[in-house]
Amino acid sequence: FATSASALTITQTTNGAALATALGGNGLTINSVAINNGAASQFGTYTGFTSLPVTIGNGVVLSTGQVVQVLPAFNNGLQGASTTPSTTTGQPGTTEFNSYGPGHIKNFLESNDVAALQVNFTLSSPNQVGFDFIFGSVEFPEFTSDFTDAFVAFLDGTTPGNQIIFDASNNAVQVGATFAGALTTADTNTAFGNPHGLVKLTTFTNMLSAGAHSIIFEIGDVNDSILDSAAFITNFHAGPGPTGTTPPGPRTVPEPTSVALFAIGLAGLAAVRRRSTRIDT
């Protein structure tokens, strides 16, 4: 079904043809789009993300909860209010998200409610591939570094080295590290406006060979399964990025001792949060 607020309209769908059309595909051929993980409520298309000061072209939306709940009507402040987007879908994380998280996503322990969308495409000649996206979350501003929901994408494989989405500081796109650099709370299109936040970014791959390729877009709750985040993806296309474009590589993984200390501290924090947070569905 479709839900709208102001100009933004979101249509929940898992139809591969509809999702492929919404993504774009200029200069390449999208062969198929499929759901790899997540509930049906976590996938959709959108139009009309046109209300200033933040705008983006029509495309596909992924959520850690329900895509139809990222509209402004569901934002009435900080956590605890019944309409704040916060849905536990009961879906697990993915193997690749959980493998990538440690050392790349701040204070990572586990992922939940991961929406994973695989796009299989063909290039007729060697080229780069790019796309624009917005990543927003209601984890901001209360849980910026401890519940670091993230948006990742794996190109032609699912190892940590295949992850290609980074912010300007060479961090994986996530609540906290990314929001510290390019956050806006002024969006009027979605629930990710004041007091919550979002970032708008563009990603280009390295030069890819002609032939078949795949990319898996994934967004997930980190360290819990509440307080939702979403990604709006558009303008998936072949074409050169800025001169000399080279996606940053993975960040250095912390020493095992550091990871263990993070785990001990966050386990206690997560338990306290789960006891005190009202879960909205």
Side-chain angles (χ1 to χ4, degrees):
F1 62 93
T3 304
S4 63
S6 301
L8 180 63
T9 297
I10 293 175
T11 301
Q12 182 274 312
T13 183
T14 57
N15 180 277
L19 294 167
T21 298
L23 277 173
N26 187 38
L28 53 80
T29 300
I30 297 178
N31 302 309
S32 63
V33 176
I35 308 302
N36 283 6
N37 195 77
S41 65
Q42 295 180 253
F43 302 88
T45 61
Y46 70 91
T47 60
F49 202 125
T50 56
S51 178
L52 295 172
V54 182
T55 65
I56 193 169
N58 300 338
V60 166
V61 57
L62 312 179
S63 174
T64 63
Q66 301 180 51
V67 290
V68 296
Q69 288 188 346
V70 302
L71 297 164
F74 287 90
N75 177 4
N76 62 345
L78 303 178
Q79 71 151 343
S82 60
T83 54
T84 296
S86 186
T87 297
T88 299
T89 67
Q91 299 299 304
T94 64
T95 299
E96 58 270 19
F97 201 116
N98 288 329
S99 294
Y100 180 75
H104 301 113
I105 298 172
K106 188 173 182 180
N107 294 343
F108 183 88
L109 292 178
E110 63 176 358
S111 66
N112 298 284
D113 291 348
V114 172
L117 185 74
Q118 180 166 334
V119 181
N120 299 312
F121 64 96
T122 300
L123 292 173
S124 60
S125 61
N127 215 329
Q128 292 177 272
V129 170
F131 52 90
D132 306 321
F133 67 92
I134 282 175
F135 170 69
S137 181
V138 298
E139 293 284 4
F140 182 88
E142 290 187 282
F143 303 105
T144 302
S145 296
D146 300 311
F147 299 91
T148 44
D149 295 5
F151 176 51
V152 296
F154 297 91
L155 175 67
D156 291 338
T158 55
T159 71
N162 294 106
Q163 205 288 113
I164 62 167
I165 298 182
F166 299 90
D167 62 23
S169 298
N170 196 20
N171 295 309
V173 173
Q174 61 191 281
V175 175
T178 302
F179 279 9
L183 173 75
T184 178
T185 59
D187 176 47
T188 55
N189 297 279
T190 71
F192 306 123
N194 185 31
H196 306 306
L198 56 75
V199 293
K200 181 179 178 181
L201 297 167
T202 296
T203 286
F204 285 93
T205 68
N206 281 327
M207 185 68 71
L208 302 179
S209 62
H213 298 274
S214 68
I215 186 169
I216 308 172
F217 296 105
E218 302 193 14
I219 188 168
D221 283 327
V222 171
N223 298 339
D224 68 357
S225 58
I226 57 174
L227 297 184
D228 298 332
S229 299
F232 296 81
I233 312 164
T234 188
N235 191 29
F236 184 68
H237 69 284
T243 302
T245 297
T246 301
R251 299 181 66 201
T252 302
V253 178
E255 294 295 328
T257 301
S258 300
V259 175
L261 290 174
F262 284 152
I264 292 170
L266 282 174
L269 180 58
V272 171
R273 185 189 188 212
R274 290 190 178 99
R275 284 197 298 270
S276 61
T277 300
R278 176 177 177 178
I279 299 178
D280 305 313
T281 57

